[in-house]
Amino acid sequence: MAVRAVQSGVMRIAEALRVRDLADLTGLPDTHVDLFVGPGHPRLAAVKAAIDSLSVGTSTEPPRVPHLEARLRAAWKARHQAPNHREVIGALLPGLIRDAQVLARHADSTADRRAAQALLAQTYSLAQFFLSYQPDAALLWRVAERGMIAAQGSDDPHAIGVAAWLPGQAHRDSGRRHFDAADAINEQALGYLRPLLPDADDDVLAIAGALEFELGYTAARRRDTGTAWRHWDKANDVAKRLPADYYHPVTSFSRAVMGAHAVTTAVELHQGGEAVRQAARADELTIPSRPRQARHRIEEARGYQLDGQPDVAIATLEEAYKAALETIRYNGYARALIREEVESKQASRRRRAAELAVQVGVLTA
């Protein structure tokens, strides 16, 4: 119990100061510990082996481009529909990675090489969703770099935008010292895309909108209120140009997600009351992705906690668990909030938090 109380205290301090790394709290570089890393998934080793494999000299027949495109579309769809989305895509990734690498290596014409590189970049993007918040940061960064190289080789604006969006998030989530790097990669990608936007298709518009929001997200982490909401407004203007039913398969950017983004912005600015108000608006639209729904519920729970409504926060985390158990299981903020309420002096809240803690894996039964 005493150990859990200390852990809960550290997590509350980390949340209040917006830091992820224990070294940022102590000032001691030797105490590098990511406070928000989740557990290692059982399929992590197989995915890592596929990424690390060179497959040089393999006799594997390369797939046809339309076949690999269809498999990737199915993989993204499966991810959005599954509560255990890491398990689902973790099972698919080794084969997808192998085949995308083989296709890229065997492409003959310039057009075929570009198409293959775009598919390889997309495969690495899917891998980054599996690898995020798992205890192998070096592997995540290696995949992010490979994805950017493949995207640049494709000359595909959408692929390049997605390949920038993912490491931009990774930089920001690495801690305050990396915020400038997050901004730099997002701004560079937007600088590349902006001249294309007047005639862009929906996917390019969506990735530009997603990058715009990411600049606001990082500004909110800095507690720069004006900049954060200004970028949210710009992203919302882009969302309004998209069809009402459009949903970007990688970034979730859409009209539907802008309410969730508003909740996140308010939470990161520590505006508890505003986060609760935005949550009421956001729930008017349904996010068509179980992992993204769960992430939104977690952000709402953080808002309720900031607003002094811990019982509502726990109830909202229960909804997140129902939407996608593997989202809450790997989300450091959710785990921290649960740990805090396990120590609550209010018996019914403590019991609900303990039950959720067992389900999520924060505590053992």
Side-chain angles (χ1 to χ4, degrees):
M1 185 70 73
V3 172
R4 289 207 303 269
V6 171
Q7 290 175 333
S8 178
V10 170
M11 297 301 288
R12 282 197 298 270
I13 295 170
E15 169 74 358
L17 297 179
R18 325 305 302 140
V19 300
R20 296 182 58 87
D21 193 330
L22 187 58
D24 290 334
L25 283 178
T26 64
L28 301 174
D30 291 341
T31 60
H32 174 73
V33 176
D34 192 325
L35 299 169
F36 292 89
V37 167
H41 194 277
R43 294 193 181 272
L44 177 58
V47 173
K48 183 179 187 301
I51 292 166
D52 289 343
S53 175
L54 290 175
S55 301
V56 174
T58 179
S59 59
T60 302
E61 184 73 18
R64 293 182 297 108
V65 167
H67 177 65
L68 188 57
E69 286 176 336
R71 287 168 61 193
L72 280 167
R73 282 196 301 271
W76 285 111
K77 184 177 181 180
R79 178 187 179 271
H80 288 302
Q81 293 177 341
N84 59 334
H85 47 93
R86 289 179 194 266
E87 172 65 24
V88 169
I89 63 173
L92 297 173
L93 273 170
L96 285 169
I97 291 167
R98 181 193 64 241
D99 288 351
Q101 289 174 338
V102 169
L103 180 63
R105 190 166 57 251
H106 286 85
D108 294 325
S109 69
T110 299
D112 286 347
R113 280 195 297 273
R114 287 176 176 172
Q117 290 294 330
L119 291 173
L120 182 58
Q122 186 181 158
T123 303
Y124 284 140
S125 296
L126 185 65
Q128 287 177 73
F129 276 89
F130 174 80
L131 295 170
S132 62
Y133 307 115
Q134 294 204 56
D136 196 337
L139 183 62
L140 175 64
W141 282 110
R142 188 156 74 251
V143 170
E145 290 168 357
R146 288 187 187 181
M148 179 57 78
I149 292 169
Q152 289 174 331
S154 75
D155 285 334
D156 181 335
H158 176 251
I160 292 170
V162 171
W165 181 81
L166 284 158
Q169 290 201 332
H171 276 299
R172 184 188 60 240
D173 288 347
S174 295
R176 183 172 296 274
R177 292 171 294 175
H178 302 272
F179 286 177
D180 288 346
D183 280 343
I185 193 168
N186 286 326
E187 287 169 350
Q188 289 167 10
L190 270 174
Y192 165 70
L193 292 172
R194 281 191 184 110
L196 308 176
L197 296 185
D199 301 313
D201 62 22
D202 290 341
D203 287 343
V204 173
L205 274 176
I207 191 56
L211 289 162
E212 193 74 63
F213 170 70
E214 291 303 312
L215 290 169
Y217 194 162
T218 306
R221 286 274 180 95
R222 290 191 176 100
R223 305 286 183 88
D224 185 344
T225 302
T227 301
W229 287 114
R230 184 171 69 252
H231 283 295
W232 184 92
D233 286 336
K234 289 181 178 180
N236 195 44
D237 288 341
V238 176
K240 290 176 182 177
R241 294 178 58 184
L242 296 169
D245 61 348
Y246 176 86
Y247 193 81
H248 191 262
V250 181
T251 68
S252 297
F253 193 81
S254 57
R255 294 189 191 184
V257 88
M258 289 311 300
H261 282 339
V263 173
T264 295
T265 300
V267 167
E268 295 296 344
L269 290 168
H270 266 213
Q271 298 172 343
E274 180 64 18
V276 170
R277 286 190 291 273
Q278 293 292 347
R281 293 182 189 174
D283 287 346
E284 294 175 3
L285 294 175
T286 300
I287 297 173
S289 166
R290 294 185 70 147
R292 192 61 185 85
Q293 286 176 23
R295 161 79 188 283
H296 174 48
R297 295 301 178 206
I298 293 165
E299 296 294 283
E300 286 185 322
R302 294 174 67 198
Y304 287 121
Q305 190 80 349
L306 286 168
D307 197 47
Q309 302 184 55
D311 288 308
V312 182
I314 288 295
T316 307
L317 287 181
E318 290 170 343
E319 292 301 313
Y321 182 82
K322 292 175 185 176
L325 58 94
E326 285 193 342
T327 294
I328 188 170
R329 186 166 289 162
Y330 287 82
N331 187 284
Y333 293 115
R335 294 166 68 89
L337 197 156
I338 293 167
R339 285 192 188 100
E340 180 173 344
E341 295 309 327
V342 164
E343 304 295 331
S344 171
K345 295 180 180 178
Q346 213 279 336
S348 62
R349 188 190 312 150
R350 185 172 64 247
R351 183 177 62 254
R352 289 180 72 181
E355 290 173 356
L356 186 57
V358 171
Q359 290 174 318
V360 171
V362 173
L363 298 177
T364 56

